[in-house]
Amino acid sequence: MHSHALVSIMNKTKTKSLVKNIIITLSGLAVATAFAFLFFYHVPENSGNIAPIYILALIVIVRYTDGYLPGLVSSVIAVVCVNFLFTYPYFELNFTLSGYPITFLEMLGVTLLTCTMTTNMKQQARMIAEKDKLLSETEKEKMRANLLRAVSHDLRTPLTGIIGASSSYLDSNELLDESEKTAIVTHIREDADWLLNMVENLLSVTRIHDQSSAVKKTDESVEEIVSAAINRLKKRIPEASVNVSVPEDLLILPMDAILIEQVLINLLENAIVHSQSRKPILCYVDDDEHNVTFHVKDFGIGIDPERLNNIFDGNSYIGNSESDSKKGMGIGLSICKTIITAHNGTINAGNHEQGAEFYFTLPKGE
């Protein structure tokens, strides 16, 4: 059953290729003949330039057809056309004309040379395309594996906390005072908020994959994107303190606004949660001729240098503090990289003298 289907597909492909070759060959020769008649009508005394018109047509035919046969057939037809239509006596074949074999050999040589070069170019292009496809698939598989590893920690840990806290509340309800009950409910809400954030991140990745790893970009104001991200962050973390700086000139950038907002929120939230500092986070934007760069800088403990090389790979970070153990930043940073890569941008992380800095760059043009 499968072999019959495969044979049917191959036959259809061969038929399609044959039809394409015939159409291109006939069209190329017809256009060349039309131009040759036009040239011959206006300059009848200089018929020697007719052959180059057909040679140019042969190059085009060989370039856009498959295999050697269309070029070889076109060469024979072109030589016959030059002999029959544009060489005295007209509309008669005369293979005894002086120079005729040279004309035929010239066209045949050009055709063979062009066929060989074009075939090699097509094979190289096909090999490059297959290699790029393989690398893309490998990168996608690696990304999926990293996300699964991150999800196993980042989603399981808060769920365990919610189950434990709710069980304690239900089992010891009569023994708890109001402050203890409030603390338990607060922890449940924090973990639930974190889970909601993770779901939003996963939906962002799903949105990219649904669009075949591409994003639909529209021209957006950078200032409005940053402002929207800060407002959403404030709703999630009301006590967050962020100092913002954007260029005075209006910056318009092609992007998916929702996804870039999600990246900024992830980076800002990571800075607040993992810096172990109460100093305000600095979020600023700068630009050059070709790119716009978004920076998120904290003034805390910084990033372990051993993690900088693979911090965007999706491996969950488990620090010494309780918040770190509950809320690894692996999945969020992996998703940030996915989003920025889909925008043809780059994202990086590093340490400065007083803390850590994350920054991503987006191109101004497509």
Side-chain angles (χ1 to χ4, degrees):
M1 180 92 179
H2 292 292
S3 61
H4 288 301
L6 183 59
V7 170
S8 177
I9 293 173
M10 293 177 62
N11 289 335
K12 289 182 180 178
T13 303
K14 290 180 179 179
T15 302
K16 185 177 180 180
S17 177
L18 177 62
V19 172
K20 184 192 78 170
N21 287 346
I22 293 174
I23 292 175
I24 293 175
T25 300
L26 294 179
S27 299
L29 291 172
V31 170
T33 302
F35 272 104
F37 268 117
L38 185 64
F39 182 84
F40 189 71
Y41 176 78
H42 290 286
V43 192
E45 69 277 4
N46 194 7
S47 60
N49 289 323
I50 299 297
I53 295 177
Y54 279 98
I55 291 176
L56 180 60
L58 292 177
I59 293 174
V60 174
I61 290 170
V62 170
R63 169 64 181 84
Y64 292 101
T65 55
D66 301 320
Y68 288 86
L69 186 59
L72 296 177
V73 172
S74 299
S75 296
V76 174
I77 295 175
V79 172
V80 170
C81 286
V82 171
N83 185 286
F84 185 76
L85 299 176
F86 304 105
T87 305
Y88 186 84
Y90 303 116
F91 301 106
E92 292 183 14
L93 289 175
N94 186 355
F95 296 104
T96 63
L97 292 174
S98 175
Y100 180 82
I102 296 178
T103 302
F104 177 77
L105 290 175
E106 282 181 352
M107 290 190 173
L108 187 61
V110 169
T111 301
L112 290 175
L113 180 62
T114 307
C115 278
T116 302
M117 294 177 60
T118 304
T119 301
N120 290 335
M121 290 174 60
K122 289 178 180 178
Q123 289 177 347
Q124 291 178 3
R126 191 179 299 111
M127 291 174 60
I128 293 173
E130 291 176 354
K131 183 178 180 181
D132 289 343
K133 183 179 179 180
L134 181 61
L135 289 174
S136 177
E137 291 298 326
T138 303
E139 185 67 22
K140 288 181 180 179
E141 289 300 323
K142 181 180 177 182
M143 187 182 301
R144 291 190 188 102
N146 289 335
L147 287 175
L148 285 174
R149 284 198 300 269
V151 167
S152 67
H153 177 271
D154 283 356
L155 298 187
R156 182 181 60 199
T157 303
L159 278 173
T160 303
I162 290 174
I163 294 171
S166 59
S167 297
S168 297
Y169 187 91
L170 293 173
D171 295 340
S172 308
N173 183 47
E174 296 180 356
L175 302 176
L176 300 173
D177 58 31
E178 290 300 321
S179 61
E180 291 173 329
K181 291 180 181 178
T182 301
I184 290 176
V185 173
T186 300
H187 287 310
I188 291 175
R189 179 173 179 177
E190 289 175 352
D191 284 337
D193 286 340
W194 182 252
L195 285 173
L196 177 62
N197 183 31
M198 287 300 98
V199 170
E200 289 178 355
N201 280 325
L202 292 173
L203 287 175
S204 296
V205 173
T206 302
R207 183 177 176 186
I208 292 176
H209 288 318
D210 286 344
Q211 299 174 16
S212 301
S213 298
V215 291
K216 184 177 181 180
K217 301 178 185 178
T218 57
D219 290 337
E220 304 286 348
S221 166
V222 169
E223 183 177 2
E224 291 181 2
I225 296 301
V226 174
S227 177
I230 299 297
N231 289 336
R232 287 179 61 190
L233 178 72
K234 288 283 188 178
K235 292 179 180 179
R236 185 173 297 168
I237 309 177
E239 67 276 13
S241 178
V242 183
N243 293 330
V244 180
S245 175
V246 296
E248 294 183 359
D249 295 336
L250 179 64
L251 280 180
I252 301 296
L253 202 61
M255 67 173 83
D256 185 311
I258 295 176
L259 293 179
I260 297 302
E261 284 180 25
Q262 189 65 44
V263 171
L264 283 171
I265 291 170
N266 284 352
L267 297 181
L268 289 166
E269 188 166 348
N270 279 336
I272 293 169
V273 172
H274 297 286
S275 66
Q276 298 183 18
S277 172
R278 294 190 176 183
K279 294 181 179 180
I281 306 300
L282 177 59
C283 177
Y284 67 97
V285 178
D286 56 33
D287 71 312
D288 56 32
E289 183 179 356
H290 303 290
N291 303 293
V292 175
T293 304
F294 298 74
H295 301 259
V296 174
K297 182 183 291 187
D298 66 54
F299 301 88
I301 60 174
I303 304 170
D304 185 349
E306 295 181 358
R307 297 198 63 246
L308 285 176
N309 290 333
N310 60 358
I311 196 169
F312 296 101
D313 289 349
N315 298 311
S316 296
Y317 173 63
I318 304 177
N320 296 324
S321 69
E322 182 182 354
S323 63
D324 285 337
S325 64
K326 287 171 57 178
K327 302 172 182 177
M329 57 183 173
I331 186 172
L333 293 180
S334 178
I335 290 170
C336 288
K337 182 179 179 180
T338 301
I339 293 172
I340 298 304
T341 301
H343 280 77
N344 299 320
T346 58
I347 185 168
N348 296 280
N351 289 316
H352 58 93
E353 293 181 357
Q354 303 177 53
E357 178 181 7
F358 289 85
Y359 56 95
F360 62 91
T361 298
L362 299 179
K364 286 185 175 180
E366 294 294 329

